[in-house]
Amino acid sequence: QINTNIISFDFAELYPDYELKSLAIEAFRECHNLRFINIPEGISKIPASAFADCGGLTSAKIPNSVTKIAERSFGWCYNLAEINIPKNVTSIGAYILSDISMLEYIYFEPVVVPTLSNEFLHRSTLENLTAVYVREEAYDAYAAIEDDLWQELVVSTNKLVGVNETELNILNGNISFNDQAVLYDGEAHSIQIEGDLPEGVIVTYTNNNQTEAGDYTVLATFKKNDEIVAELEATLLIIGEDYISDSTNYTYTLDENNQATITGYLGNDT
């Protein structure tokens, strides 16, 4: 039985030698303190009300192995700001996102529109959405969904947005490009994207692989068939004594790889 005071649950991290094959109906229901859930690969179905009434939930990572999301799976998760529907989902139950007034973004990865129950989304949820992102090649299919609320509150209000596959993976967090800080050591340093690239997409970097102290804006350019499909920027900060000598309001900590976590003002508007 789940401890309802649980704050986060990442099965793969907690039990790396075990495989979670299924979730029970209402598995985490009314875990009001739950903030983060990482559902492991291998789970094929999110059962009914699995995370219902988890009012504190702010982040839920759903793996690509999931093909079915049952009714009210995330109902009344009032603080959930966004949710990603993975690419292999083929079926979505009723009211999977009931009464989530904080929800701003929904990301639909499937190119084929999943089978949808009537009123699969709730009015109070749809009224507060900023955007629903779908693959651009599937835009027309999603725009044609025969659901009155969907048509009234998503399509007619221009909240349905089509983007390419790489852009969608950036928006939903599957691909990220994060700032990094290190101490000067005379060696070259660089930053890399995190996440898996879509098939046929390559990434190149501009202004990466730096040695001298300073802050560098690094550009990651994503291309498919020699066409740019997305770009991201991140800052590489190399901390040297001369570079921060005029600053007194900062602290840093180092991890075992000489990576620095910086707090405070470093000069040069950093």
Side-chain angles (χ1 to χ4, degrees), residues 175-225:
I175 295 174
S176 60
F177 191 42
N178 300 315
D179 298 339
Q180 184 174 325
V182 297
L183 288 182
Y184 172 80
D185 58 5
E187 302 290 333
H189 294 278
S190 60
I191 48 180
Q192 309 291 326
I193 66 160
E194 297 179 5
D196 297 326
L197 291 173
E199 184 176 354
V201 175
I202 63 171
V203 61
T204 58
Y205 300 96
T206 303
N207 208 31
N208 214 356
N209 199 39
Q210 301 291 340
T211 302
E212 299 302 319
D215 60 280
Y216 303 91
T217 299
V218 181
L219 177 68
T221 301
F222 301 82
K223 291 184 177 181
K224 185 173 184 178
N225 298 327

Side-chain angles (χ1 to χ4, degrees), residues 109-244:
E109 289 189 42
V111 175
V112 177
V113 177
T115 300
L116 304 169
S117 298
N118 291 333
E119 298 181 333
F120 64 101
L121 294 172
H122 198 270
R123 174 177 286 276
S124 64
T125 299
L126 289 173
E127 286 177 338
N128 292 282
L129 278 176
T130 298
V132 178
Y133 290 98
V134 300
R135 294 270 295 274
E136 56 189 3
E137 61 266 43
Y139 177 89
D140 290 344
Y142 280 93
I145 290 175
E146 295 181 356
D147 180 271
D148 291 342
L149 286 178
W150 177 265
Q151 290 296 325
E152 174 189 350
L153 299 174
V154 176
V155 179
S156 296
T157 56
N158 297 317
K159 292 181 179 179
L160 186 67
V161 181
V163 294
N164 67 54
E165 184 179 9
T166 302
E167 290 174 319
L168 184 58
N169 276 276
I170 291 171
L171 288 165
N172 65 20
N174 287 344
I175 295 174
S176 60
F177 191 42
N178 300 315
D179 298 339
Q180 184 174 325
V182 297
L183 288 182
Y184 172 80
D185 58 5
E187 302 290 333
H189 294 278
S190 60
I191 48 180
Q192 309 291 326
I193 66 160
E194 297 179 5
D196 297 326
L197 291 173
E199 184 176 354
V201 175
I202 63 171
V203 61
T204 58
Y205 300 96
T206 303
N207 208 31
N208 214 356
N209 199 39
Q210 301 291 340
T211 302
E212 299 302 319
D215 60 280
Y216 303 91
T217 299
V218 181
L219 177 68
T221 301
F222 301 82
K223 291 184 177 181
K224 185 173 184 178
N225 298 327
D226 292 326
E227 293 186 6
I228 296 176
V229 293
E231 291 182 321
L232 287 176
E233 287 186 350
T235 297
L236 171 62
L237 174 62
I238 302 178
I239 306 164
E241 183 177 352
D242 293 338
Y243 183 68
I244 61 175

